[in-house]
Amino acid sequence: MPDASPKKPLRLSEKRIQTRREEILNACAELYEQMSFREITLKEIGQRTTFTRTSIYNYFHSREEIFLALTRREYEAWAADLDALRAKAGGADPHRFPAALGRTLDARTRLLKLLAMNLYDMEDNARMEHLVAFKTAYNGAVQALRQCLAAYFPAMTEGDVEDFLYLFLPFMFGLYPYTTVTDKQKEAMRLAGVSYPSLTAGALACAFTQKLLAPWLA
């Protein structure tokens, strides 16, 4: 006699779940290269995945959760860059650190663009588990930067490092809009008689870092 009991739904393996999450994030990242946050919808993201749009809700409940997870991934990548920079500290000239730090940000344009968005809205519209994962990644990047400073400038006290972090981390939020100008913005500034610098995020970060670290670079 056949078994009449209802079949349990198949559960995806953790690896499969992570693969699908990454596919969603990759689709979002690809769209973000050409569109603004306002223009990107779950429908747009779903059209670039290999599974149905409604399946996205199994992994993310809102567009904001997807963007927060993308920002988390970018912070994790930047932390890896900082770890690589710290690994080169032995015998390295500390005067080269500001430029090297700037290059890590030139390589993370997407992170800077995401930071220029309203993180408050992203965090407010994300479930606690996603928010905690994001904060954990952010803290990992902060600690990686802290360890870089300790490796290149051992004379810095804990207070000196904290002062640097409290100035540098908020500074990062303004790098993208200050160094990336659209044609429309250029025309508006021309008509308003406003000049704007043609500098990269890395160059600005290097100059700012040199000022912050001046006592240890003298």
Side-chain angles (χ1 to χ4, degrees):
M1 183 175 180
D3 184 4
S5 60
K7 293 183 178 180
K8 293 182 180 179
L10 293 175
R11 296 188 62 182
L12 295 176
S13 67
E14 190 60 38
K15 182 178 180 180
R16 181 71 169 170
I17 291 172
Q18 186 57 36
T19 298
R20 286 197 168 185
R21 283 178 177 160
E22 287 298 313
E23 186 176 348
I24 293 168
L25 294 183
N26 290 339
C28 182
E30 184 179 335
L31 288 168
Y32 199 44
E33 293 294 321
Q34 307 147 359
M35 303 166 66
S36 68
F37 171 77
R38 184 183 66 257
E39 296 171 316
I40 298 172
T41 64
L42 290 178
K43 180 179 179 181
E44 291 276 359
I45 295 172
Q47 288 175 343
R48 299 199 178 211
T49 62
T50 59
F51 44 92
T52 62
R53 177 174 64 87
T54 53
S55 295
I56 290 178
Y57 290 100
N58 293 325
Y59 311 100
F60 300 100
H61 283 190
S62 66
R63 176 182 57 170
E64 286 80 6
E65 281 191 354
I66 296 175
F67 270 89
L68 194 65
L70 183 59
T71 310
R72 181 194 74 205
R73 192 172 74 172
E74 289 297 317
Y75 265 129
E76 290 170 346
W78 187 47
D81 294 340
L82 292 173
D83 286 340
L85 178 59
R86 176 180 54 82
K88 300 176 182 177
D93 182 356
H95 289 83
R96 295 185 177 183
F97 176 78
L101 180 60
R103 286 193 293 273
T104 69
L105 293 180
D106 273 336
R108 296 290 153 210
T109 303
R110 186 181 297 137
L111 172 62
L112 299 178
K113 184 179 180 182
L114 287 162
L115 293 181
M117 290 171 53
N118 190 344
L119 278 176
Y120 286 105
D121 287 341
M122 283 198 285
E123 293 184 5
D124 192 48
N125 287 286
R127 287 167 292 166
M128 182 58 70
E129 62 189 273
H130 289 274
L131 185 54
V132 171
F134 166 72
K135 295 296 186 183
T136 300
Y138 167 75
N139 185 57
V142 173
Q143 297 309 315
L145 180 54
R146 185 191 301 275
Q147 291 166 7
C148 270
L149 292 170
Y152 280 88
F153 305 96
M156 292 181 75
T157 66
E158 185 65 25
D160 295 330
V161 172
E162 288 296 323
D163 288 343
F164 179 94
L165 294 175
Y166 281 130
L167 290 170
F168 188 83
L169 294 171
F171 164 80
M172 285 175 56
F173 283 74
L175 280 174
Y176 186 84
Y178 201 79
T179 57
T180 306
V181 185
T182 66
D183 291 339
K184 183 177 181 180
Q185 289 172 323
K186 289 178 182 179
E187 179 62 10
M189 285 189 284
R190 185 188 69 79
L191 294 172
V194 178
S195 61
Y196 59 92
S198 180
L199 295 171
T200 66
L204 282 179
C206 175
F208 188 56
T209 302
Q210 286 174 332
K211 290 183 181 298
L212 294 180
L213 296 175
W216 296 276
L217 292 173

